[in-house]
Amino acid sequence: MVDVASLVQQAREGRPRAVARLISLVEGASPQLREVMAALAPLTGGAYVVGLTGSPGVGKSTTTTALVTAYRKAGRRVGVLAVDPSSPFSGGALLGDRVRMSEHASDPGVYIRSMATRGHLGGLAWAAPQAIRVLDAAGCEVILVETVGVGQSEVEIAAQADTSVVLLAPGMGDGIQAAKAGILEIGDVYVVNKADRDGADATARELNHMLGLGESRGPGDWRPPIIKTVAARAEGVDEVVEALEKHRAWMDEGGVLDERRRRRAANEIEHIALTALRARIGDLHGDQRLTALAGRVTEGALDPYAAADELIAGLTAR
Ligand SMILES: Nc1nc2c(ncn2[C@@H]2O[C@H](COP(=O)(O)OP(=O)(O)OP(=O)(O)O)[C@@H](O)[C@H]2O)c(=O)[nH]1
Ligand SMILES: [Mg+2]
């Protein structure tokens, strides 16, 4: 058993080992998580969460690293969470990303962690917010969440962030893919990375055109900017930081930030509740109540919908 109170205290002081252990409890779906989350709750809410999504190899990690440098220059404490929804837990996942970010490895103002979420009930939607809470409570002022791997969970990840950055690169057929994957709806800031390569202008133009097509924005609405970067040389990264700050200010003014965070909390509660319900239903196999209902359905005395209603009523009444 882990001494949760002391672990939380140490994490609050920013001790990386304590932060790592708490996130491992999340990854391992520890029964002590309930206690951990209760202890963390009053310490959270201070962090600005930025999600980065885009096709494999587009430059998410390079951009993240450059953003960390920029935020560190501004004196902010930064957390990086690299989430891999396609890999099972391994603890050692995404070593490549860690190595790539090694320039920040010895900086006590930066916490970098990768997390695999496959195989979880609720997967990404369940694990990422809890890991974000840990980093938030540990005093990270900015948390950058990179999703690794392929697109399906992009929308899901966007739902976890205050601001979503969608990255594209020239020559990856991204323009057409973007429309398909629905990322045109989730981006608050668009980055065309690898602008040192041919076709960056064309990609930006095409993106601009596609974003304009579905446009029905009013005067006070947010218009997602498109920023060209060469992340490998940190070019354009200050503009990205500026766009993030602007988006954050815009969200603050209009109450959008609160709204997004409430929606996020609602998702989180839903996933925890569904997981709990599923666990109870799992417990019911062989349960007398279920057996009795099954008997009545077999006899034709009850239809399966009514039986399911009775079952659920019985579960929630417990
Ligand atoms: N030419 C060029 N290459 C870049 C640029 N930014 C990143 N790269 C290179 O692109 C490759 C992929 O970059 P990553 O940052 O690992 O991309 P990623 O999106 O994190 O990749 P995954 O995590 O595997 O999805 C690396 O070899 C980078 O060095 C850039 O601006 N220009
Ligand atoms: Mg990466």
Side-chain angles (χ1 to χ4, degrees), residues 13 42 44 48 54-55 81 88 103 114 166 171 180 203 315:
E13 290 160 10
T44 56
Y48 172 48
S55 306
L81 191 65
E103 61 180 279
S114 52
V166 173
K180 274 192 197 153
T203 302
L315 287 176

Side-chain angles (χ1 to χ4, degrees), residues 51-53 83 124 128 145-147 153-161 164:
L52 293 105
T53 63
V83 184
L124 191 61
V145 184
E146 177 190 346
T147 340
S153 48
E154 273 163 352
V155 176
E156 218 184 323
I157 251 296
Q160 319 270 355
S164 289

